[in-house]
Amino acid sequence: MKPYKLLLLTVACTWAVGASAQWQWLDKDGRKVYSDRPPPVEVPQKNILKQPGFGKAASQPTPVQSETPATAAAAPASGAASTPGLPQASGKDKKLEEAKAKADADEAAKKKAEVDRVAKAKAENCVRARKSKTSLTSGGLIGTVNEKGERGFMDDAAREAEIKRADGVIASDCS
């Protein structure tokens, strides 16, 4: 075999060994997670399936140092002692939480304002419909204006149609 082919084969085998340096664990939903980094501290020891070192389960998970506070690992909830010398990550970004709370409050205020606006419009429609029905059922002549701008009086069929329309508005807006 030629020397350069032997060198190429050796390099390819070395890369394959690097691929076996993978962590494998079950997340909180029971799904398998593969990574080249250790699992977060909150993953229990029994859920770690594989660690670098030819498939042996880790005796102690290594804490993860995260670059961003939003992805920082939380301290173990089981009451286990934390690793001395490492800062305790809360897992929450205070500014992000404040911004989210403010956005939620703004959204709630917008929804409340919209509900109040709709309720006010329904109340006004209810009052107008009741006044209209009172006028229509009084028995007096009701004046109208046609498409040409000529003045006339409402006949009985138009009066009944308007009363039905007013009843529909009352039923939907006065409840």
Side-chain angles (χ1 to χ4, degrees):
M1 188 179 262
K2 296 185 180 180
Y4 69 89
K5 287 185 179 178
L6 185 60
L7 179 65
L8 185 62
L9 180 64
T10 305
V11 169
C13 289
T14 306
W15 278 334
V17 171
S20 69
Q22 294 287 319
W23 287 85
Q24 179 182 0
W25 68 89
L26 295 174
D27 67 0
K28 64 182 176 201
D29 298 325
R31 293 180 296 220
K32 284 187 180 178
V33 178
Y34 299 90
S35 178
D36 60 343
R37 295 184 182 191
V41 189
E42 64 264 3
V43 173
Q45 178 65 31
K46 64 179 180 154
N47 288 355
I48 299 175
L49 304 174
K50 182 180 171 187
Q51 75 169 16
F54 307 106
K56 298 177 187 173
S59 59
Q60 180 119 21
T62 310
V64 176
Q65 294 266 338
S66 179
E67 293 82 21
T68 61
T71 59
S78 62
S82 62
T83 308
L86 288 178
Q88 291 295 322
S90 68
K92 295 181 182 178
D93 184 4
K94 289 184 180 180
K95 289 182 182 177
L96 182 62
E97 292 294 323
E98 290 172 2
K100 185 177 184 302
K102 184 178 184 229
D104 289 345
D106 289 346
E107 185 68 25
K110 285 181 184 177
K111 285 182 181 179
K112 185 176 180 340
E114 180 66 19
V115 167
D116 290 345
R117 186 188 65 78
V118 169
K120 184 178 177 182
K122 281 188 171 191
E124 290 173 359
N125 286 345
C126 178
V127 169
R128 270 191 255 123
R130 286 187 175 164
K131 284 182 181 178
S132 176
K133 184 175 179 185
T134 302
S135 298
L136 292 168
T137 57
S138 68
L141 291 175
I142 307 282
T144 61
V145 178
N146 65 11
E147 301 85 33
K148 296 179 185 176
E150 299 170 344
R151 232 173 119 79
F153 294 102
M154 188 179 288
D155 60 351
D156 290 337
R159 182 185 299 257
E160 287 301 318
E162 285 297 313
I163 291 173
K164 281 186 179 182
R165 189 181 69 77
D167 284 339
V169 172
I170 291 170
S172 67
D173 290 348
C174 295
S175 52

